[in-house]
Amino acid sequence: WFKTDFFKWVDSPKCDRCNGDTTSKGMLVPTQQEQLDGAGRVEGYACSKCNVEVRFPRYHAKPAKLLETRRGRCGEWANCFVLCCRSLGFDTRHVLDWTDHVWSEVWSDAEGRWLHVDPGEVVDKPLVY
């Protein structure tokens, strides 16, 4: 459910105006509202059809914002997944590797160990990378 229906993977965002494909134009300064919503950085894109600027805020500081946007990459997926798990009372943690990939781990009382949970990939396959 989380991977297939709830959250959407975004490599480069679609244009807000015409739904066209976009091309990266580098980093932008977050607006005041983006900062208040938890975006520490914003990726900038240009639409290939209408050339409008498209902003892709990376909401890492306030994962509750991700319940609204429901889109992102591994960091957003892990942050939102951890938020959902913690709201259900599960002990969770984030894992960041040297390639800048982020995933989650959930403590299992039944197993007596941390279970690898990559919400965008697989469950309990920590050597998949």
Side-chain angles (χ1 to χ4, degrees):
W1 168 81
F2 189 88
K3 181 179 177 179
T4 58
D5 298 327
F6 182 73
F7 224 78
K8 181 176 189 259
W9 185 269
V10 175
D11 284 319
S12 59
K14 292 286 189 180
C15 177
D16 298 326
R17 180 183 293 165
C18 73
N19 204 36
D21 292 332
T22 60
T23 304
S24 176
K25 296 298 180 186
M27 301 305 289
L28 303 174
V29 176
T31 65
Q32 184 176 7
Q33 186 60 54
E34 289 166 340
Q35 289 177 6
L36 289 171
D37 289 338
R41 60 191 179 122
V42 176
E43 297 173 4
Y45 294 83
C47 178
S48 58
K49 288 183 181 177
C50 67
N51 205 35
V52 73
E53 178 183 83
V54 177
R55 302 174 69 83
F56 183 52
R58 304 300 302 275
Y59 296 113
H60 293 292
K62 294 183 180 177
K65 179 68 177 174
L66 298 171
L67 295 175
E68 294 175 32
T69 66
R70 295 169 51 177
R71 63 187 197 142
R73 298 191 197 108
C74 61
E76 286 86 2
W77 283 58
N79 281 340
C80 193
F81 185 77
V82 164
L83 177 69
C84 292
C85 287
R86 287 181 179 166
S87 73
L88 295 170
F90 290 99
D91 192 11
T92 60
R93 63 186 182 188
H94 293 94
V95 181
L96 170 67
D97 73 5
W98 63 274
T99 67
D100 197 32
H101 182 59
V102 182
W103 64 90
S104 312
E105 289 184 338
V106 179
W107 178 257
S108 169
D109 287 330
E111 296 281 332
R113 65 184 177 92
W114 290 98
L115 299 176
H116 167 266
V117 182
D118 188 328
E121 295 286 338
V122 296
V123 174
D124 209 22
K125 303 260 189 234
L127 302 178
V128 72
Y129 314 113

